[in-house]
Amino acid sequence: MQVARAHVVRAALESIAYQVADVVELAMRDLTTPLRELCIDGESAKNDFLMQFQADILGFPVKRLGLEEASGLGSAILNCCACGIYTSVQEIREVRKISEICIPDMKPDERIKNRQGWLQAVHAVMLSAKR
């Protein structure tokens, strides 16, 4: 069976979304307030398929930031909070510009089935690596 380049690319993009979902799941275990959205930036944020699939797998909106690279903005915001320049969450929200929002449209049972398939695949790879 010949694998088309498009299938490999799609699998790579889906694996990014699943890995992010794994990290989000772990982070949510430690949070007292559940996450309701994910804001993304950088090169991966330019991919519309990845953004939508990420929203579908997480089950909540994914927002593309209006900045190409926002990690510097995050550092600046934290410094402004520490210095008392920003004193409320609302002030921070006004700084953050959203250019697009992807709303999940995958059915919950499909999301669960896909996540289980991902976890089974990861488990199988880990088992084969031990051999």
Side-chain angles (χ1 to χ4, degrees):
M1 176 178 146
Q2 180 137 2
V3 178
R5 180 178 185 270
H7 291 119
V8 174
V9 171
R10 181 179 173 130
L13 291 171
E14 287 181 357
S15 75
I16 292 169
Y18 285 122
Q19 290 175 65
V20 168
D22 290 345
V23 171
V24 167
E25 182 181 321
L26 290 171
M28 286 177 50
R29 290 181 189 173
D30 294 334
L31 297 174
T32 56
T33 303
L35 293 177
R36 293 177 297 205
E37 65 184 34
L38 180 69
C39 295
I40 65 172
D41 66 81
E43 287 297 314
S44 60
K46 294 177 182 178
N47 188 291
D48 294 336
F49 171 81
L50 177 57
M51 286 213 23
Q52 184 59 55
F53 191 72
Q54 188 71 75
D56 288 341
I57 290 302
L58 290 172
F60 54 75
V62 171
K63 298 181 177 185
R64 180 183 290 154
L65 296 176
L67 299 168
E68 191 161 312
E69 183 58 53
S71 54
L73 175 63
S75 297
I77 288 172
L78 289 174
N79 282 316
C80 288
C81 291
C83 295
I85 295 170
Y86 294 139
T87 57
S88 73
V89 173
Q90 187 56 38
E91 290 174 307
I92 296 169
R93 283 190 181 125
E94 290 171 10
V95 173
R96 201 180 60 168
K97 303 290 185 219
I98 304 297
S99 68
E100 184 180 351
I101 301 173
C102 287
I103 305 297
D105 64 1
M106 185 180 285
K107 293 184 172 110
D109 57 330
E110 184 180 358
R111 178 181 306 114
I112 291 167
K113 180 181 154 209
N114 287 343
R115 287 273 292 148
Q116 287 173 340
W118 165 254
L119 294 172
Q120 288 171 350
V122 169
H123 183 70
V125 168
M126 290 174 68
L127 282 178
S128 69
K130 288 182 180 182
R131 293 182 186 154

